[in-house]
Amino acid sequence: EAGVAQSPRYKIIEKRQSVAFWCNPISGHATLYWYQQILGQGPKLLIQFQNNGVVDDSQLPKDRFSAERLKGVDSTLKIQPAKLEDSAVYLCASSFILPEGGELEKLFFGSGTQLSVL
Amino acid sequence: AQSVAQPEDQVNVAEGNPLTVKCTYSVSGNPYLFWYVQYPNRGLQFLLKYITGDNLVKGSYGFEAEFNKSQTSFHLKKPSALVSDSALYFCAVRDTSGTYKYIFGTGTRLKVLA
């Protein structure tokens, strides 16, 4: 089966510029997550979608970050304007609901987008 | 609030020796615990999980983890390390509020020496 697709793979921008990342989850996966992984740290959840609705965005810096999943499939994460501290790998992950109910306790991750802000 | 701690930034082990990567957790209610591995320039890959049942959980690539409720620990183990096991390992806990939110530890770099 195809995995979680992310693009671009790398991005270098200057501070105050804007940038967008794209994620296409595994087909049929209702839950989509965006994580920020700063070098030397564990992934930090930015936003979680269930279909096209937001479940949790409590750690998303909403003054500069935005995300959408309009049709409940692919998703875009945007940063505008970028700051130096936004340099990180942005990981997308997805999961699905089991037929008998409940969520599969397993995340499928994409390879991530490595962002460098100069 | 749920959290996990990985006390070691790096673990070095000789090839063929047993390895342990430590994780402790703090949760309200029953813990849902996970281990993921990250190879260079790759996303995280699921290794194993503990939801309920046996305290010793077996996972991918010969890894296993031991759940210890009294010590609130979930250490990752492998009887015989391979050089190819060298990677970054993350412990994670799933939020018990019903949101299916996953919280990751800071990671432990495992280096297996030939």
Side-chain angles (χ1 to χ4, degrees):
Chain A
E1 83 186 348
V4 176
Q6 287 190 250
S7 67
R9 187 71 183 88
Y10 302 94
K11 190 74 177 179
I12 300 174
I13 61 172
E14 296 188 350
K15 59 183 179 182
R16 292 188 289 273
Q17 286 186 324
S18 62
V19 64
F21 313 126
W22 175 81
C23 172
N24 193 19
I26 294 172
S27 178
H29 282 200
T31 311
L32 185 148
Y33 306 78
W34 281 103
Y35 282 88
Q36 180 192 57
Q37 186 179 13
I38 293 173
L39 188 65
Q41 300 181 18
K44 183 184 88 171
L45 180 67
L46 292 176
I47 188 166
Q48 177 185 347
F49 292 95
Q50 182 75 16
N51 296 309
N52 60 350
V54 175
V55 175
D56 188 320
D57 64 356
S58 57
Q59 297 194 86
L60 187 73
K62 298 180 187 62
D63 57 334
R64 298 185 300 106
F65 286 65
S66 64
E68 59 184 16
R69 194 185 184 199
L70 293 176
K71 296 183 180 179
V73 181
D74 57 341
S75 176
T76 303
L77 176 70
K78 296 180 182 178
I79 307 175
Q80 182 180 8
K83 293 185 175 181
L84 296 177
E85 59 260 35
D86 298 332
S87 294
V89 175
Y90 291 84
L91 294 166
C92 179
S94 68
S95 187
F96 68 91
I97 304 295
L98 293 167
E100 60 270 30
E103 177 128 335
L104 178 70
E105 292 87 6
K106 176 179 177 179
L107 300 181
F108 296 80
F109 281 86
S111 296
T113 295
Q114 185 170 327
L115 174 67
S116 297
V117 182
L118 307 178
Chain B
Q2 277 73 220
S3 66
V4 289
Q6 295 182 245
E8 303 156 316
D9 290 336
Q10 180 161 323
V11 169
N12 295 327
V13 63
E15 187 176 29
N17 282 3
L19 69 87
T20 299
V21 182
K22 296 179 180 177
C23 172
T24 58
Y25 66 89
S26 175
V27 301
S28 54
N30 295 322
Y32 284 42
L33 298 162
F34 306 82
W35 277 100
Y36 283 80
V37 60
Q38 186 176 35
Y39 297 100
N41 300 314
R42 302 286 298 277
L44 280 70
Q45 297 177 36
F46 171 83
L47 275 180
L48 50 79
K49 66 184 179 187
Y50 173 84
I51 305 299
T52 186
D54 291 340
N55 290 341
L56 186 63
V57 179
K58 294 191 182 298
S60 306
Y61 311 123
F63 283 92
E64 56 191 27
E66 187 173 10
F67 171 70
N68 188 316
K69 188 172 182 179
S70 62
Q71 297 186 5
T72 62
S73 67
F74 188 56
H75 299 334
L76 181 69
K77 301 184 179 188
K78 189 173 183 182
S80 179
L82 299 172
V83 172
S84 57
D85 293 330
S86 299
L88 194 54
Y89 290 80
F90 291 97
C91 182
V93 63
R94 203 190 81 185
D95 186 89
T96 56
S97 67
T99 62
Y100 299 103
K101 173 181 173 179
Y102 292 78
I103 299 151
F104 287 83
T106 52
T108 298
R109 185 164 300 281
L110 173 67
K111 192 169 184 179
V112 181
L113 307 170

